Amino acid sequence: MSAPWKDVVLENVPTGPVAARIYNGEGLKKAAPLVLYLHGGAFLDTNHAIDRPVAVSLAEAGAIVVAADYTSGNQNAFPQVLECAYGILAYLGNKRNMLALGGAKKSLLFVAGEESGGNVAAGVALKARDQMPGSLDGQVLISPLLDPFMGSKSFLQAEESGMRERWTEGWNRYLGFLGGVCHPYAAPRYCSRLSGLAPALVLTAEDDPLRDESMEYGSRLKAAGVRVRQQVLPAGTGWPTLYGGQSKDRPSWQQDVCCCFKGFVEEVQA
């Protein structure tokens, strides 16, 4: 899978200019959905100018995907990371009909991310509900890294995928000494008020160490009245490679992500 892309700078973002890579899928419609994509990397990766297969998968589903550099200027620390990502979303929401991205005023606006980017995407969706209600059309959480205590049953597979130490280091980097784990935007899994959020697509796989926390969050969203589309893909697709983990299986998950997102967009539009 591939999608054409170009590097740009988003001017006038509230937190300052932000570099971004914009992916355009083939056969874009006039009002193609606009997606702010937040890359993973265990809260440690600050390099945005590399290939992002998840972003490509979303673009192949017919979206304009803005893979923004939301981490390099703040060292992946909360709340700066969250504020930067939210600022980019607000910018895209206000300028979607003016940006030379093929978008239009009626284009749907999504925030998406995998692993640590999924956590930030969930936090951004919470803040969007609180500060610009009705502006976000959907959130796409792909194996979101949601539990700073790393206590789920499926997390036992983290050692096998080579991610336990990396995730531990990443959570310490992200939360620091600010007590961020107590803040719902930092650890959405522990947010007590989930009603009113934008519809959610939650994706994981049977062999994903983050499966249980992903599914639990999706269930809590449903219980709060949020429209949720959840899917657990079968083992054997090399799913952990999505966020840099090890797998004995050849990666074949990109088409699944593409199809699931396409179905989610159709549901939101209905």
Side-chain angles (χ1 to χ4, degrees):
M1 299 179 71
S2 62
W5 53 265
K6 62 179 179 179
D7 288 330
V8 302
V9 175
L10 305 178
E11 302 287 353
N12 301 317
V13 172
T15 54
V18 174
R21 178 163 291 181
I22 299 174
Y23 296 85
N24 294 292
E26 295 294 336
L28 286 176
K29 297 180 180 179
K30 183 177 181 180
L34 181 61
V35 181
L36 169 60
Y37 163 74
L38 306 175
H39 65 76
F43 300 118
L44 299 172
D45 180 9
T46 60
N47 183 6
H48 95 283
I50 61 176
D51 291 335
R52 299 292 182 187
V54 172
V56 171
S57 297
L58 300 176
E60 289 293 332
I64 300 154
V65 182
V66 181
D69 179 14
Y70 72 108
T71 59
S72 66
N74 46 52
Q75 298 303 307
N76 269 307
F78 180 83
Q80 291 89 345
V81 167
L82 190 286
E83 292 299 328
C84 181
Y86 174 77
I88 300 168
L89 181 74
Y91 171 85
L92 294 178
N94 290 332
K95 302 295 184 181
R96 73 180 99 176
N97 62 323
M98 298 174 61
L99 295 172
L101 305 176
K105 189 172 184 179
K106 61 181 179 180
S107 295
L108 297 176
L109 180 64
F110 295 86
V111 63
E114 88 274 358
E115 194 232 20
S116 58
N119 177 290
V120 179
V124 165
L126 284 165
K127 185 162 184 174
R129 176 202 61 188
D130 296 339
Q131 297 197 10
M132 51 180 198
S135 61
L136 183 64
D137 295 295
Q139 52 182 313
V140 181
L141 312 178
I142 305 173
S143 288
L145 182 63
L146 296 168
D147 183 9
F149 297 109
M150 300 176 287
S152 72
K153 184 177 179 180
S154 67
F155 198 84
L156 295 175
Q157 298 174 339
E159 197 71 55
E160 181 180 334
S161 64
M163 296 300 294
R164 178 180 291 275
E165 184 176 341
R166 182 167 170 79
W167 281 333
T168 299
E169 181 184 356
W171 273 119
N172 289 335
R173 164 76 70 82
Y174 186 58
L175 298 177
F177 300 100
L178 300 177
V181 68
C182 299
H183 199 293
Y185 295 168
R189 180 176 184 263
Y190 297 103
C191 180
S192 60
R193 188 173 69 89
L194 297 175
S195 60
L197 284 168
L201 171 63
V202 183
L203 296 179
T204 180
E206 288 289 352
D207 53 351
D208 180 16
L210 304 177
R211 182 193 67 229
D212 290 352
E213 58 197 84
S214 299
M215 295 305 291
E216 180 206 36
Y217 190 65
S219 296
R220 290 190 61 224
L221 289 173
K222 283 184 179 179
V226 178
R227 292 170 56 191
V228 178
R229 179 185 177 117
Q230 286 179 285
Q231 187 159 346
V232 181
L233 299 175
T237 64
W239 187 263
T241 63
L242 178 146
Y243 42 71
Q246 301 169 5
S247 174
K248 58 182 176 55
D249 301 305
R250 176 177 172 274
S252 60
W253 48 262
Q254 283 185 258
Q255 189 61 46
D256 291 316
V257 171
C258 177
C259 291
C260 289
F261 177 65
K262 186 178 295 185
F264 179 57
V265 172
E266 291 173 354
E267 287 184 2
V268 172
Q269 289 174 326

